[in-house]
Amino acid sequence: MASRCILLSLPEEVIEHITKYIPDDDDAVLNINLVCKQLYRLSGSPSEWRFRCRQLRYWEPKHNFYEKLKNPFPAEVEWRALFVQRFHVRRRTTQLLNEIISSPINRIPKYHEIGKFGYDAKDCLAEHAKVSEDAIDVLARRWYAGVALHYIHRRRAVRIWQSIYSRQEVSLEAALGCFELFNLKTAEGDPDETARMLDELAARFQSVTPNLHQLSTKAKASSLCKFMAQEGFRGASSEHYRALKNSFIGISLRTDRTNLPLTATAIFCSLATRIGLTASPCGFPYHVLAIVNDNGRRIYLDPFRGDGNELSVEGLENQLQTLGIDDEKDEYLRPSIVSEIVLRTARNILESLRHTPTTSREPNALVNRNSALYAALMASVLLGPRITYNLIQHMAKLIQEECPMDVIFFEQQIIPQATLPNCADLLQDTCIKLRNIDATLNVVNHRSSAEEVKYRVGTVFKHKRYNYQGVIFGWTRTCSPADGDEWIQKMGVDRLARGRQQPFYHALVTDGTIRYVAEENIDQERLESADELSLLAGKYFKRYSTADGTFVSNIEDEYPDG
């Protein structure tokens, strides 16, 4: 008679514990229950599947996951079915990401399929975005996982703003957190985490105010204002007032807590709601205030100042009169609806972009300028009173340069809303163009001789004249810029020693910009590590080879000879 399996000879509680070590992405986690009745019983425990589900951090709202966790009886929830669904999402997401990394063709529909998984794909993508340095395609995998995460975040933001447009109830912090979703390329820092931080702040306020329930509404609101000041929230100085980060509620909570009046008021109202007050922003000109409802009486406060003092209605009316507003005072003293605050935030972002210099993009900047611009434009289009041709022009340019996979937003949400024919035509043409590019193979550039084009794709260099560091990701045999002779004249190419009849190189620079560099200005470098460039290089390269001192190409389809 065959000897009994060693595993099955162990005590059942030990077997149950061992099965927990089967990785969540291993087929065995689903198939072990097919081995025998004993393993079916032990591995099929609702508690076991609940445990595995709890290891996953991000869930689509449709699952009501955190409500299910509150159920004290695991058998009443289909935990295994929930885990199996996530298992298949993980497998398909990884397969799609692998295809995106390996081929530049038809990436848009692949991103769209990942996007449909929504937050159910985030745990998987977050793992790929932090893949080990040992991975043969570490830079590409991290880059494209980040791109997919960014797409999922923008997709969620668009859906939330659409809900507001459809007059569904959306919390103020969730609505404003959408601006951050446009900026967010990592799994961490989304509006769900912002909400948790606000929950913790509200709980802390309640713990340090033990007699809270005995206070009047006015005293509660005043104490909350002072509490925010004690927690480090403060109005931005005049010098840094227009800093882009000040318009982002989540960044304010996570960093130095400097705010614009709108951001400070949004945080105050979100906390006030959590402690049982009815609070709303007030769209006062040039300075958003807070309104707390006290049995029909409006209490006006300025969380930006943080002193907790009530503002008199008479004083506010006098300020409006000074601004030349007399007949419509009530319009500026009423509670604002969420969509109005979103649109005002969009205007604040646009003002910040106008007033701050257009410097080179910094890879580690808290807010990416293009992402902030895109968010402000998208909010204006989805929630604003009308869609203008100027708005559409800017958005068409941004999706072509930064987010081609977003054509789905335009095809499904924006084009149907565009009442001006020229707006709809421009967007339609842009979407068709991007889909055609996505479905077309790149032109193949072969070398005819080693001497013809000296430097290869992946070469790290320093510019001989301007000293910036970059990496080559493409070349042309002669100067052939996208803007033609206009660029050649502007850049003084004909004044170079070798003029325009020399190879020019497409280069990614450490500040995040793309340059077009003459061969005579290339000074090849060999670095032991290229950390700064590695943060950006995943779009074109698999990894950095310390042995060769070059980046390993991921665009062999376009430059097969390097």
Side-chain angles (χ1 to χ4, degrees), residues 337-381:
I337 59 175
V338 170
S339 61
E340 292 171 335
I341 298 302
V342 172
L343 289 171
R344 190 153 174 168
T345 300
R347 292 195 293 272
N348 284 343
I349 289 171
L350 293 174
E351 280 299 304
S352 290
L353 291 169
R354 290 190 191 102
H355 285 86
T356 54
T358 308
T359 54
S360 298
R361 291 173 290 178
E362 298 177 23
N364 295 315
L366 286 172
V367 183
N368 177 280
R369 288 178 65 90
N370 283 348
S371 296
L373 174 60
Y374 189 17
L377 294 175
M378 184 68 81
S380 301
V381 166

Side-chain angles (χ1 to χ4, degrees), residues 159-301:
R159 290 191 165 189
I160 291 172
W161 283 339
Q162 282 181 310
S163 298
I164 296 171
Y165 179 78
S166 303
R167 303 191 185 284
Q168 296 176 38
E169 188 174 341
V170 175
S171 70
L172 183 59
E173 71 263 20
L176 297 183
C178 291
F179 288 99
E180 206 145 358
L181 285 173
F182 271 78
N183 185 62
L184 201 60
K185 296 182 180 179
T186 62
E188 299 82 9
D190 69 6
D192 292 344
E193 294 186 26
T194 298
R196 285 193 287 273
M197 292 181 72
L198 289 166
D199 290 341
E200 290 167 7
L201 274 172
R204 189 149 65 245
F205 171 68
Q206 290 170 315
S207 70
V208 300
T209 317
N211 62 336
L212 183 64
H213 67 284
Q214 299 173 352
L215 298 179
S216 66
T217 298
K218 179 180 175 180
K220 289 177 183 176
S222 177
S223 297
L224 182 58
C225 261
K226 293 174 183 176
F227 169 78
M228 285 178 60
Q230 292 165 4
E231 287 288 319
F233 292 97
R234 61 194 186 281
S237 65
S238 56
E239 182 184 359
H240 300 292
Y241 190 81
R242 285 296 175 192
L244 199 49
K245 71 177 183 63
N246 292 340
S247 290
F248 291 79
I249 184 171
I251 291 176
S252 172
L253 284 162
R254 292 194 304 274
T255 58
D256 60 6
R257 297 189 169 179
T258 57
N259 302 281
L260 295 179
L262 188 156
T263 321
T265 297
I267 292 170
F268 171 84
C269 291
S270 299
L271 292 173
T273 300
R274 284 165 166 78
I275 64 167
L277 298 178
T278 302
S280 307
C282 169
F284 199 79
Y286 307 111
H287 196 103
V288 174
L289 302 172
I291 298 174
V292 176
N293 188 311
D294 183 12
N295 292 320
R297 186 178 81 87
R298 294 175 182 173
I299 300 172
Y300 292 87
L301 298 160

